[in-house]
Amino acid sequence: MTRPTVFISGAAAGIGRATALKFAASGYLVGAYDIDETGLASLGKEAASLSGRVVTGILDVTNSDQWETRLKEFVGEGDGRLDILINNAGILAAGAFEDMPLSVHRRQIDINFNGVIYGTLAAFPYLKDTAGAQVVNMCSASAIYGQPELVTYGASKFAVRGVTEALDLEWSKYDISVKAMWPLFVQTAMTQGVSTGTTSSLGIKLTVKDVSDAIFDATRPVKRRLHKVHFPVGLPSKALSLGSRFSPAWLTREVNRRLSHT
């Protein structure tokens, strides 16, 4: 029997790297893809002693042709299997909406949202042919309620949330489940130097291990009474997510206004 496989975008550093190592240590064939060749090379060396195997390659998630090529290559390495696709690649730009150049807004949308569309669409034929396949999308607690100073970033994550919810319903007939991870701010290079009202209120406390462990756990076969799509990571994210479902709209807005100091 062939080993299970997982394809991860944005895997050279941060959450993607930690997730690649987590799955490799658990015996998976891991496809680790990124635009950072140096980071991928060091990841390959670090993973060499683990029980799984890591295949690395260059992938610009805004390039649909590269998605198709890399996935075809990786699935060939895994005897036709694609058990899990993890859409992890993303960027964050913080600041006043009107002060941010249009190119920065576009770049966040291209990577955070369009990258998910391109990757998930290119992966579909392989996911459909693998029993119990899963897609894991990196969402964010910023998609619970729109965040000042993170306007376009949060909007891109709202879009990822919508894709996740819709595809989990639409693709259930193919035995494909689609899930969203909901961390708050994580201690990675992406959040270095980021200072907003919300980071001041809540801090940047989650580690990449916290998130990679949560991703791994979310993909485990567990018998649940209710189907689960959204996976908050960390107590603050769980509290905010739960509160948004049961509190009136005006209260959710007020909580977010106070957290963001607006």
Side-chain angles (χ1 to χ4, degrees):
M1 185 175 179
T2 58
R3 68 175 69 202
T5 67
V6 56
F7 185 109
I8 306 170
S9 68
I15 294 169
R17 184 188 187 97
T19 303
L21 293 171
K22 176 73 176 180
F23 277 91
S26 300
Y28 276 71
L29 171 63
V30 178
Y33 295 85
D34 205 301
I35 58 173
D36 178 3
E37 294 185 64
T38 302
L40 290 175
S42 66
L43 171 62
K45 292 178 181 178
E46 187 174 353
S49 62
L50 300 177
S51 58
R53 179 181 164 215
V54 175
V55 176
T56 63
I58 301 301
L59 171 64
D60 176 353
V61 296
T62 68
N63 186 316
S64 59
D65 291 336
Q66 283 190 24
W67 267 110
E68 292 183 3
T69 300
R70 297 289 91 82
L71 278 161
K72 183 177 181 179
E73 293 170 351
F74 176 69
V75 170
E77 295 278 348
D79 297 321
R81 292 181 63 163
L82 181 58
D83 293 273
I84 305 170
L85 167 68
I86 301 178
N87 286 309
N88 168 73
I91 61 171
L92 179 153
F97 177 79
E98 67 276 12
D99 292 339
M100 201 173 292
L102 181 58
S103 60
V104 176
H105 290 290
R106 284 176 171 166
R107 187 68 174 157
Q108 289 181 93
I109 293 168
D110 284 344
I111 293 175
N112 298 353
F113 177 62
N114 290 340
V116 172
I117 297 296
Y118 300 153
T120 307
L121 189 60
F124 172 68
Y126 311 116
L127 295 165
K128 182 169 66 73
D129 289 342
T130 306
Q134 304 177 70
V135 177
V136 178
N137 293 327
M138 188 56 61
C139 202
S140 167
S142 297
I144 295 172
Y145 196 90
Q147 293 298 304
E149 302 175 280
L150 295 170
V151 175
T152 302
Y153 173 80
S156 71
K157 296 302 182 179
F158 267 93
V160 170
R161 173 181 181 168
V163 167
T164 302
E165 293 173 348
L167 280 184
D168 185 63
L169 292 169
E170 186 173 327
W171 284 1
S172 61
K173 62 187 175 185
Y174 302 115
D175 192 26
I176 302 170
S177 61
V178 187
K179 304 171 180 179
M181 305 305 300
W182 292 72
L184 265 172
F185 304 106
V186 185
Q187 297 169 11
T188 67
M190 192 166 75
T191 58
Q192 285 182 358
V194 170
S195 179
T196 68
T198 309
T199 59
S200 175
S201 296
L202 299 174
I204 304 177
K205 299 178 180 179
L206 284 176
T207 67
V208 293
K209 184 179 186 304
D210 293 329
V211 184
S212 63
D213 285 349
I215 292 171
F216 186 81
D217 291 345
T219 62
R220 297 309 89 202
V222 177
K223 291 184 179 180
R224 294 187 174 93
R225 294 176 62 183
L226 297 174
H227 183 73
K228 189 172 182 179
V229 177
H230 301 298
F231 293 79
V233 183
L235 289 176
S237 180
K238 291 176 182 178
L240 290 169
S241 177
L242 184 65
S244 70
R245 283 185 286 175
F246 296 105
S247 66
W250 68 265
L251 181 56
T252 301
R253 180 184 185 278
E254 181 63 16
V255 168
N256 281 273
R257 186 186 72 79
R258 290 177 179 270
L259 288 174
S260 61
H261 304 296
T262 53

